Amino acid sequence: MYRTALRNLLAHKGRLLMTALAIMLGTAFVAGSMVFSDTVDQATRNSYSRSFDDLSVMVTDPAANAAGGFRGPRSPAQLNEETVAKVAALPGVAKTRAVVSDFTGVADKQNKLIGPAWSARSANFVPDASGNDPRYPMVQGRGPRATGEIALDRKTAESGGYQVGDTVRIATNGPAVDTRLTGIFTTTDPMVAGGGSLTLLDTASAQQALLTPGQYSSIEVTAEPGVSAQALREQITPVVAYSKRFTVQTAEQLRTAQSETISRRTHSLEQVLLAFAAVSLFVGIFIIANTFTMLIAQRTKELALLRAIGAARSQVTGSVLAEAALIGLVSAAGGLLVGIGVGAGLQWGLKSVNRGMPTGSLVVSPGTTVTVLAVGVLVTVVSALLPAVRASRIAPVAAMSSGDRPATPKSLLIRNSIGGLITALGLGLITLGIVSDHSKQQFIRPGAPLAAIGILILLPLLSRPAIGLARPVLVRLFGTPGKLAALNAVRSPRRTAATAGAIAIGLTLVTAMTVVGASVTDVTARSVDGAVKADLAVAMTNGRGLSAQIPADIAKVPGATSVSAVTSMNAKVNGNPHTVEGLDADTFDQLVKLSMTAGSADTLKQGQLLIDAGLAKSEGLEAGSTVKMSNPDGTESALTVGGVFENNQLLSPVLLANSVIAAHNPQPFIVQALVKGSNGPTRALKQAIATATGNNPVIVIRDKQAMADDYSSTVNATMSLLYVMLGMSVLVAALGVVNTMAMSVFERKREIGLLRALGLDRAGVRRMVRLESAVVSVFGAVVGMALGSYLAKAAVSTLSVPLPGISTVLPFGELLLFLVTAGVVGTIAGLWPARQAAGTDILHSISAS
């Protein structure tokens, strides 16, 4: 039986080609994602491990390393010279290094930021007796010695085209400043290796620009020979215990924490890539099952003869599954090889967009190899299981006849009944979720997959009426070939359903996300327009806080009539953590719109609290209520709720006057500055603000449309990923269409010969096959888009709390594009089968049995 299975596989290798390609594509993405993830993980670990080579223990002040953290004389708990001296005097300490480090961007000669903003840093240059800093060896020039001097890492200097002596513009969270480049150095800093920039300043200038004079962000300690890092850590901890926020970690703890962080990042990236592979493999299941069903139908007489000469049902089933396992193994092996190339391509692509990305040789672990081969074999065998069982049920008497045996009405009746029940249950749960006021997701989460599965089961039933509606149009436009295409498309409902189902899956996912994305974009645009009176918003592109100098400088700009810094601090309201935002009490009513449901917004000027309706409901608060606020500086305040406003996604649920926040945090995190112009958001006003901020390349000036786009950026990024997923699933589905049409042409060889004999020319035959392919593809697209739109409506209903006022928006232009794309893909997929059909020899086809 297994020799028979091998012979059948070799005999039908051409018809199994598309199935093999589908498996290969899916497993290639599995292999590629795993190889890429392992490679990046290993390269990054190697890069970061070197940064702790000359370190035993590190004392860190997290607040000094966080934008908007506690800085300044109000916080005596700082890492200062006194602390450094105490640590250096401990027994077992060989040397210490006091570090000042924070964000600093470097502009190129076109005033564009070099490298990504999140990895642009600066540090202090610490010269030894010779005037050099061993950590940053200079390849040109010298280190900075005074204010206005800097040194740059070699990669950043090369990217900006800078030489020693050039003027370089650097920026923190305030106005950008011009400095003189005194040196260019090399470094093993992993942030630089990862594409970031590193700027060196002298210690006093770094403290003045980044922290406060005399303050450090960390202390690096090296132990004497024979002293363990853990023992040194235990000695240092009591010295810095005056502040609970300081952390004391050994180099090994730092490596472990860094490894965990890297693992989480690479794991997240791997999960995204594997999601692409999962969609492709799921679509491939339909193709594999369809292929084996058609092959078994064509081999009915052969399998019946095997049964007649004594083959048991289990042997027939095993024979078919052996074929599936073999093709799965071979295809997965090919997928593994292609996947290694995919991993290399992904690594090259990431490196090309992320300058200096750590790289290394490709890592192909045994686990990756085993996983890919196992996935390929398992998916293929599972897909072929049902056709294999059907093959075992072929009666020996069928050896006296030949040809395809149509599915019995009973089998379709059972299928339709099961599909109808599952669909009704799924749609019912989704509907309950939509109309329910609470626990929407508890209904929608199980309802969505049930509805999708039910619809896929019902596709044979849906195919006849759906394609029947298109038949008059096809006849009118294409005549006899159009009529024949419509009839052929519904001749085998199971086959049509399997082929269309592969396309429907991808369209369901992408349509759902497209509709959700359009709905979120719509409500965001309306929210910005309805909640903001300001013409412009000024903020940092890297999410850090603005310097307090920026709003003050903008207020002096001609044409800026109202300016308010939007500040933020973390506090507890009645024991529950909340983000509290601050607005300027004198100008906020000219910059934001608050739809009050109780109380008055003017109470903000009296130092009272404003809360949104969601918080008021959850906390049982109303206008006039008194709340206790635990402030970041350790104090507690009793505040009165002056008013309740409608939920607003652009503002925090808790609002206070900036003056109240400043009492507990004199230098709070400044999220952005809102600006109202006398003549609106004119280009002149934007230029004046840019000039006032020193043309800082990290500061962005947004109008209302840009604000809405910024809030929608996450949705847009997700959509981009899903469109990639759509492309992958459509490609695999197209292979299924090609496979189905090619095998259909083979089965209908006699029929096509008769049509040619009756006068249908070659062009008509080609048109008939192409139209059939397009009709099946469009049918799958319509089903997928309809289901996706309904699922999107359910998903949108769950967003009504975080996004008040959201409603389902159908982007008809994009949906029409999806439909046209499906038709084009179907037409292209039918080109090769159509050519085969048109080349059929009339006499040979008619004489075929």
Side-chain angles (χ1 to χ4, degrees):
M1 289 300 296
Y2 293 110
R3 284 200 301 270
T4 301
L6 180 60
R7 178 181 58 79
N8 287 327
L9 189 63
L10 295 174
H12 298 96
K13 54 183 179 292
R15 298 176 209 171
L16 291 168
L17 176 62
M18 298 303 167
T19 298
L21 287 175
I23 302 168
M24 185 181 296
L25 283 174
T27 53
F29 250 77
V30 173
S33 61
M34 296 180 72
V35 167
F36 171 72
S37 177
D38 291 344
T39 301
V40 172
D41 182 77
Q42 185 63 50
T44 310
R45 286 177 190 273
N46 292 339
S47 176
Y48 272 93
S49 65
R50 290 194 297 269
S51 63
F52 303 120
D53 287 345
D54 191 34
L55 175 69
S56 301
V57 176
M58 179 182 286
V59 183
T60 307
D61 182 357
N65 290 277
F70 286 109
R71 299 175 183 172
R74 70 205 175 283
S75 178
Q78 296 176 350
L79 291 178
N80 49 32
E81 291 288 355
E82 181 181 357
T83 309
V84 175
K86 288 181 180 180
V87 172
L90 291 172
V93 173
K95 64 179 180 179
T96 60
R97 181 185 180 93
V99 176
V100 181
S101 181
D102 205 343
F103 164 78
T104 298
V106 180
D108 61 17
K109 294 180 180 179
Q110 287 72 45
N111 203 43
K112 303 295 184 182
L113 188 68
I114 298 176
W118 63 269
S119 59
R121 293 190 313 111
S122 61
N124 57 322
F125 181 76
V126 184
D128 56 18
S130 66
N132 298 315
D133 187 339
R135 174 167 294 185
Y136 305 112
M138 294 290 161
V139 293
Q140 295 181 36
R142 59 170 177 81
R145 298 173 181 169
T147 300
E149 295 182 347
I150 65 165
L152 290 176
D153 69 270
R154 181 159 55 187
K155 289 182 179 180
T156 300
E158 291 174 352
S159 296
Y162 289 123
Q163 300 292 330
V164 172
D166 287 350
T167 297
V168 180
R169 179 174 288 269
I170 64 172
T172 55
N173 61 348
V177 295
D178 290 332
T179 59
R180 188 169 69 89
L181 182 63
T182 63
I184 298 173
F185 61 92
T186 59
T187 178
T188 59
D189 189 296
M191 296 293 282
V192 175
S197 63
L198 180 60
T199 306
L200 297 182
L201 299 85
D202 67 282
T203 298
S205 298
Q207 290 174 329
Q208 181 66 40
L210 306 175
L211 302 174
T212 57
Q215 183 182 10
Y216 297 99
S217 47
S218 62
I219 304 172
E220 299 176 358
V221 186
T222 303
E224 291 181 346
V227 178
S228 70
Q230 184 59 36
L232 191 59
R233 177 180 179 272
E234 292 174 357
Q235 290 187 69
I236 294 173
T237 300
V239 175
V240 298
Y242 62 89
S243 175
K244 293 182 180 180
R245 75 167 185 252
F246 296 158
T247 61
V248 185
Q249 296 171 286
T250 65
E252 187 59 36
Q253 289 175 322
L254 291 168
R255 288 191 186 95
T256 301
Q258 192 63 59
S259 295
E260 291 175 353
T261 300
I262 294 168
S263 295
R264 286 195 298 269
R265 291 176 180 174
T266 53
H267 180 70
S268 299
L269 181 59
E270 184 180 23
Q271 293 305 305
V272 172
L273 295 173
L274 287 176
F276 295 165
V279 172
S280 300
L281 288 170
F282 187 58
V283 172
I285 288 174
F286 288 81
I287 299 173
I288 299 165
N290 208 17
T291 300
F292 274 92
T293 297
M294 289 185 287
L295 285 175
I296 288 167
Q298 292 172 7
R299 289 159 46 195
T300 298
K301 186 172 183 177
E302 174 188 331
L303 294 172
L305 283 172
L306 289 174
R307 292 280 286 117
I309 61 177
R313 286 188 174 186
S314 59
Q315 289 179 301
V316 174
T317 302
S319 172
V320 175
L321 292 181
E323 292 180 43
L326 187 56
I327 190 174
L329 182 63
V330 173
S331 302
L336 178 62
L337 296 177
V338 175
I340 294 173
V342 171
L346 289 171
Q347 186 184 27
W348 174 85
L350 186 61
K351 183 175 174 61
S352 66
V353 300
N354 192 354
R355 177 179 56 86
M357 179 72 190
T359 57
S361 57
L362 291 176
V363 178
V364 185
S365 66
T368 297
T369 303
V370 172
T371 300
V372 171
L373 295 178
V375 166
V377 172
L378 182 63
V379 168
T380 312
V381 170
V382 169
S383 303
L385 183 58
L386 188 58
V389 172
R390 288 176 180 164
S392 69
R393 294 175 178 173
I394 295 175
V397 71
M400 291 182 282
S401 62
S402 63
D404 190 0
R405 296 187 308 154
T408 64
K410 180 180 179 182
S411 64
L412 284 177
L413 177 62
I414 294 174
R415 173 172 177 158
N416 293 338
S417 299
I418 295 173
L421 288 174
I422 295 176
T423 303
L425 179 59
L427 295 179
L429 288 172
I430 293 174
T431 303
L432 282 175
I434 293 174
V435 301
S436 175
D437 293 331
H438 304 286
S439 305
K440 289 179 177 289
Q441 294 186 7
Q442 293 182 7
F443 293 109
I444 293 173
R445 283 178 179 173
L450 284 174
I453 293 171
I455 293 294
L456 290 175
I457 294 174
L458 285 177
L459 281 179
L461 178 65
L462 298 174
S463 63
R464 290 186 181 276
I467 296 176
L469 290 174
R471 181 177 171 183
V473 178
L474 293 173
V475 173
R476 180 179 294 273
L477 293 177
F478 303 103
T480 299
K483 180 180 180 179
L484 292 173
L487 292 173
N488 289 331
V490 295
R491 174 183 294 182
S492 177
R494 291 179 183 274
R495 183 181 302 174
T496 298
T499 307
I503 296 174
I505 294 168
L507 267 296
T508 298
L509 293 173
V510 177
T511 299
M513 288 306 301
T514 300
V515 174
V516 171
S519 302
V520 171
T521 301
D522 172 72
V523 72
T524 301
R526 288 189 286 111
S527 296
V528 170
D529 187 62
V532 178
K533 294 181 182 179
D535 295 314
L536 299 171
V538 182
M540 299 280 287
T541 57
N542 59 355
R544 289 175 171 258
L546 288 168
S547 164
Q549 182 181 351
I550 295 297
D553 289 343
I554 295 175
K556 302 173 185 177
V557 170
T561 58
S562 300
V563 179
S564 174
V566 180
T567 62
S568 175
M569 72 174 184
N570 294 322
K572 289 185 177 180
V573 178
N574 286 345
N576 297 316
H578 289 283
T579 298
V580 181
E581 284 189 346
L583 297 167
D584 184 82
D586 296 326
T587 61
F588 81 93
D589 54 351
Q590 303 169 45
L591 299 167
V592 298
K593 299 177 185 177
L594 293 177
S595 300
M596 305 301 297
T597 60
S600 171
D602 289 337
T603 56
L604 193 73
K605 301 176 182 179
Q606 302 167 17
Q608 296 184 8
L609 201 67
L610 299 181
I611 61 175
D612 70 10
L615 179 60
K617 183 177 180 180
S618 63
E619 299 284 344
L621 300 174
E622 58 184 16
S625 298
T626 300
V627 299
K628 288 184 179 181
M629 178 175 289
S630 300
N631 301 302
D633 60 359
T635 63
E636 281 197 355
S637 306
L639 297 172
T640 301
V641 176
V644 179
F645 59 92
E646 291 183 358
N647 293 359
N648 189 316
Q649 69 179 97
L650 305 183
L651 296 173
S652 171
V654 185
L655 299 179
L656 273 174
N658 279 333
S659 57
V660 177
I661 289 181
H664 304 285
N665 190 358
Q667 295 183 13
F669 186 94
I670 300 179
V671 180
Q672 60 184 343
L674 298 178
V675 184
K676 184 73 174 177
S678 56
N679 297 314
T682 62
R683 180 175 297 180
L685 179 60
K686 291 182 180 180
Q687 184 56 54
I689 293 174
T691 302
T693 59
N695 291 309
N696 188 322
V698 196
I699 290 180
V700 63
I701 304 168
R702 300 185 179 96
D703 56 20
K704 285 187 178 182
Q705 182 59 51
M707 290 184 223
D709 293 342
D710 183 57
Y711 283 108
S712 303
S713 60
T714 302
V715 175
N716 294 333
T718 303
M719 289 303 305
S720 298
L721 291 175
L722 282 169
Y723 285 137
V724 173
M725 186 185 296
L726 170 66
M728 190 67 187
S729 63
V730 167
L731 176 59
V732 176
L735 293 176
V737 175
V738 174
N739 206 22
T740 300
M741 295 307 302
M743 299 188 77
S744 178
V745 167
F746 176 82
E747 290 176 352
R748 302 196 326 249
K749 186 180 297 184
R750 180 183 178 87
E751 175 188 319
I752 292 172
L754 288 172
L755 291 173
R756 292 276 288 115
L758 292 173
L760 187 64
D761 59 12
R762 293 180 184 271
V765 172
R766 286 195 296 268
R767 189 176 299 115
M768 175 188 70
V769 176
R770 290 197 303 266
L771 286 174
E772 181 182 348
S773 177
V775 165
V776 172
S777 299
V778 170
F779 167 61
V782 170
V783 171
M785 289 164 60
L787 179 59
S789 298
Y790 191 68
L791 294 179
K793 180 178 177 62
V796 166
S797 71
T798 66
L799 301 175
S800 58
V801 174
L803 298 175
I806 190 171
S807 59
T808 305
V809 175
L810 295 177
F812 291 104
E814 294 180 31
L815 296 180
L816 179 61
L817 178 62
F818 294 159
L819 191 63
V820 172
T821 300
V824 171
V825 168
T827 302
I828 294 174
L831 290 177
W832 178 56
R835 184 176 180 181
Q836 277 190 318
T840 300
D841 181 84
I842 299 177
L843 294 178
H844 177 73
S845 300
I846 293 175
S847 62
S849 59

